[in-house]
């Protein structure tokens, strides 16, 4: 075996890799942001007394969590157009990751909600807040703090899932790494650099979320 | 005599098939301090929670200042009102819980201002001023920036009282507010309540502190098996109980 490392080709296109990382981060942020709202609503639906809401939420979470994300990506991108819903590849991927993160975050939020003391909701109602007011000003702020560690894990995991967007040619980090690999045959270099970039990004996200955790911690 | 502040008529409440309130009638006038005593399971706390609309009830009416709260009749059918109207009705009363139930993520000050801002829609400065006034009344102005987790049980309960009374309710409800406290912290909370009673605040309290009930109440109610067993001024009830049940209950209580 005679392989000499040469990173020149990778550095030449490093700005492509960076732009890919940037796109991946943006995809993750947008999807997780919208997915969090879906997750919150579905979590409340899951613990609600209303049978219909509960069933819809359970169906959603079960269906999405038991389908591989790559299948969901292909389904949205290839199958939905057949049904008349044609999305660009970026929109299509954001749609998939949003639905996907919503399902995972539902479980995180639901766990947080059932762990809250009953008295919290009653105290909110007792000062004259409505059910929704109590959720917004009391229940959600307290619950979010308790699930932040679990939330961080999910955020990082969902960010890494953006690498699968390469499968439908969304120009993110994995897509460019493969392009450099194919064009230059610098196999080890391109994938090593891409891996390091994922690791650094995840590390920074984790550090940022830990900082947030500490800032929001309830004394 | 002026119109009563609150009237409870024929209140019935069931948990599944178990009837815990079996027709309670009660009238409270402004500045009355009414203590409810009775053994556990007699329906004391449930009665209080019905008044705060935290429990649904199946029959009867509760009127505050002549207006029925919680329910309305449409085509002869009884309906529970919508969440936003229930919230308005709940704001007529202030509730203090056995387990304090402060908002753990907010400072003492913000525990009090939350309702003022979001329910009363007060301006920030006015809300802070009101909250500081009441925190001062319960002796906790110096603790306004502490979170509930940094306060003792007695202090938490006093913040909870400030939070409820700052909303300017017509009637304060106290649900065994000293039961979860260490014995040495009970008095600081009771003296705050006594202070408010002396000020003319109308109150309905569920309590196990017989001495306190004797001292502070204008009326004492003995609940027995979901009904009001006896009712009267504290001296009459404690010194001349009419029923065997009440006599036994008083004998077995610590003063």
């Amino acid at each position: 075996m005679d392989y000499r490392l040469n990173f020149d080709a990778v550095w030449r296109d490093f700005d492509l890799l960076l732009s890919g990382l940037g796109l991946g981060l943006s995809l993750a942020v947008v999807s997780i942001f919208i997915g969090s709202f879906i997750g919150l609503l579905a979590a409340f639906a899951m613990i609600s007394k209303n049978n219909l809401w509960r069933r819809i939420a359970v169906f959603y979470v079960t269906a999405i969590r038991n389908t591989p994300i790559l299948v969901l990506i292909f389904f949205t991108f290839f199958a939905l157009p057949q049904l008349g819903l044609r999305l660009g590849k970026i929109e299509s991927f954001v749609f998939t990751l949003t639905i996907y993160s919503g399902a995972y975050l539902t479980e995180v939020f639901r766990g947080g909600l059932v762990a809250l003391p009953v008295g919290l909701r009653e105290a909110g109602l007792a000062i004259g807040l409505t059910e929704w007011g109590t959720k917004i000003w009391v229940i959600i702020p307290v619950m979010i703090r308790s699930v932040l560690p679990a939330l961080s894990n999910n955020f990082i995991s969902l960010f890494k899932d953006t690498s699968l967007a390469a499968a439908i040619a969304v120009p993110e980090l994995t897509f460019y790494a493969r392009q450099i690999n194919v064009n230059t045959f610098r196999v080890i270099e391109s994938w090593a650099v891409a891996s390091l970039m994922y690791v650094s990004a995840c590390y920074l996200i984790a550090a940022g979320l830990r900082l947030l955790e500490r800032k929001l911690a309830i004394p | 005599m002026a119109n009563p502040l609150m009237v409870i008529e024929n209140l019935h409440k069931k948990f599944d098939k178990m009837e815990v309130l079996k027709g309670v009638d009660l009238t409270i006038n402004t500045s009355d301090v009414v203590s409810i005593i009775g053994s556990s399971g007699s329906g004391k706390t449930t009665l209080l929670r019905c008044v705060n609309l935290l429990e649904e009830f199946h029959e009867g009416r509760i009127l505050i200042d002549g207006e029925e709260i919680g329910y309305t009749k449409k085509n002869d059918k009884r309906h529970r009102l919508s969440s936003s109207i229930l919230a308005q009705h709940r704001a007529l009363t202030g509730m203090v819980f056995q387990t304090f139930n402060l908002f753990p993520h907010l400072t003492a000050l913000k525990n009090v201002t939350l309702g003022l801002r979001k329910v009363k829609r007060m301006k920030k400065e006015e809300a802070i001023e009101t909250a500081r006034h009441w925190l001062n009344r319960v002796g906790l102005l110096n603790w306004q920036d502490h979170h509930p987790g940094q306060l003792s049980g007695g202090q938490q309960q006093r913040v909870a009282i400030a939070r409820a009374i700052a909303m300017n309710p017509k009637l304060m409800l106290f649900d065994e507010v000293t039961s979860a406290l260490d014995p040495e912290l009970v008095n600081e909370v009771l003296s705050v309540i006594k202070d408010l009673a002396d000020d003319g605040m109308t109150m309905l309290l569920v309590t196990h502190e017989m001495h306190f009930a004797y001292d502070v109440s204008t009326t004492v109610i003995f609940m027995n098996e979901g009904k009001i067993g006896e009712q009267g001024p504290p001296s009459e009830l404690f010194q001349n109980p009419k029923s065997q049940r009440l006599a036994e209950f008083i004998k077995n209580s610590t003063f």
Side-chain angles (χ1 to χ4, degrees), chain A residues 46-113:
Chain A
M46 269 198 155
I47 60 166
S48 106
K49 286 186 198 140
N50 184 314
N51 266 326
L52 180 66
W53 291 129
R54 210 171 50 232
R55 281 196 193 133
I56 292 173
V58 169
F59 175 77
Y60 161 60
V61 171
T62 314
I64 299 301
R65 295 218 311 171
N66 292 307
T67 314
I69 182 168
L70 192 57
V71 173
L72 290 174
I73 293 167
F74 286 154
F75 186 88
T76 317
F77 191 63
F78 295 120
L80 285 189
Q82 304 289 324
L83 300 168
L85 184 67
R86 195 169 299 276
L87 294 171
K89 53 194 177 193
I90 288 184
E91 292 83 352
S92 165
F93 181 76
V94 168
F95 179 82
T96 310
L97 194 61
T98 301
I99 299 291
Y100 184 74
S101 57
Y104 276 84
L105 297 176
T106 300
E107 278 299 292
V108 175
F109 292 142
R110 192 193 60 87
L113 288 176

Side-chain angles (χ1 to χ4, degrees), chain A residues 49 117-134 137-139 141-142 145 216-219, chain B residues 49 52 54 83-84 87-88 90-91 93-95 97 101-106 114-115 118-119 147 149-150 163-164 167:
Chain A
K49 286 186 198 140
V118 202
L120 212 52
R121 171 176 160 267
E122 295 188 342
L125 295 177
I127 60 166
L129 291 169
T130 58
E131 290 282 356
W132 275 106
T134 303
W137 302 111
V138 181
I139 302 288
V142 177
R145 284 168 168 85
L216 291 180
I218 296 172
Chain B
R49 291 170 56 85
N52 200 228
L54 289 173
S83 168
S84 61
Q88 287 170 26
R90 272 194 198 100
T93 58
M95 178 90 166
F97 299 89
N101 299 349
L102 289 180
F103 308 131
H105 62 305
L106 300 176
L114 182 69
K118 305 303 172 194
V119 179
H147 282 75
Q150 300 166 314
R163 175 177 71 178
M167 297 297 289

